[in-house]
Amino acid sequence: MRIYIGADHNGFDLKQDLVAMLNKAGYQAVDEGDAQLNPDDDFPQFAAKTVQALQADTDPDVKAILICGSGQGMCMAANRFRGIRASLVWDLPEARMSRNDDDSNVLCLPARVLKQNDAEAIVMAWLNTPFAGAPRFKRRIQQMDNL
């Protein structure tokens, strides 16, 4: 499974760690930047680049991860794109619920809040939780798509 991952300067170090962890776990992590730590970069450019790569991918199981200081900015930027269901996640229950109930396809992480091992556990829980596909969940996703 391909996972596109992008981060601003606040999420740069965590992104580097997660790319290595994902590749080691057998995923194909595609780093959408930034390529080097730049304290003056802005999160919207990485959210857009990462989400556009996700949208262009034909694999139905493709996912993306976005990281900034709070996770909020990345989540707001990602959710401006049609078909994107970005979830801000800070713990394991939220990771599971965002996939199980909402079929989240973009995970947004708060780098200032999470330790590396917690972020890794969240990513793995998010990736390994299937969408339940309950009729009410599908109906709600369809309603969001029609907004």
Side-chain angles (χ1 to χ4, degrees):
M1 172 192 300
R2 251 179 321 285
I3 303 164
Y4 295 95
I5 185 166
D8 69 357
H9 58 281
N10 285 307
F12 181 82
D13 290 335
L14 182 56
K15 175 184 64 85
Q16 299 298 97
D17 294 336
L18 291 177
V19 166
M21 184 270 301
L22 289 165
N23 286 329
K24 186 176 180 182
Y27 295 95
Q28 181 187 357
V30 181
D31 189 338
E32 293 292 338
D34 202 346
Q36 59 188 9
L37 181 59
N38 177 359
D40 295 322
D41 65 15
D42 296 313
F43 67 84
Q45 64 187 343
F46 302 110
K49 184 177 179 189
T50 304
V51 166
Q52 288 167 343
L54 172 75
Q55 289 177 315
D57 198 305
T58 59
D59 181 350
D61 295 323
V62 68
K63 304 275 187 292
I65 299 171
L66 294 170
I67 312 161
C68 67
S70 70
Q72 290 284 11
M74 286 291 201
C75 195
M76 287 184 222
N79 279 318
R80 290 180 177 255
F81 291 82
R82 189 158 203 70
I84 297 302
R85 293 175 306 281
S87 299
L88 175 58
V89 174
W90 56 90
D91 64 18
L92 292 173
E94 290 299 323
R96 292 184 188 105
M97 293 295 287
S98 72
R99 287 284 310 128
N100 184 80
D101 296 8
D102 302 316
D103 198 17
S104 171
N105 55 7
V106 178
L107 174 65
C108 299
L109 298 173
R112 286 193 302 256
V113 174
L114 297 175
K115 294 182 171 106
Q116 179 184 343
N117 60 332
D118 294 332
E120 289 176 358
I122 287 168
V123 167
M124 295 311 293
W126 184 75
L127 289 171
N128 290 310
T129 301
F131 175 50
R136 71 183 186 279
F137 298 153
K138 289 180 179 181
R139 181 181 68 243
R140 292 169 187 160
I141 290 169
Q142 184 64 50
Q143 289 172 1
M144 285 190 291
D145 288 345
N146 291 334
L147 292 176

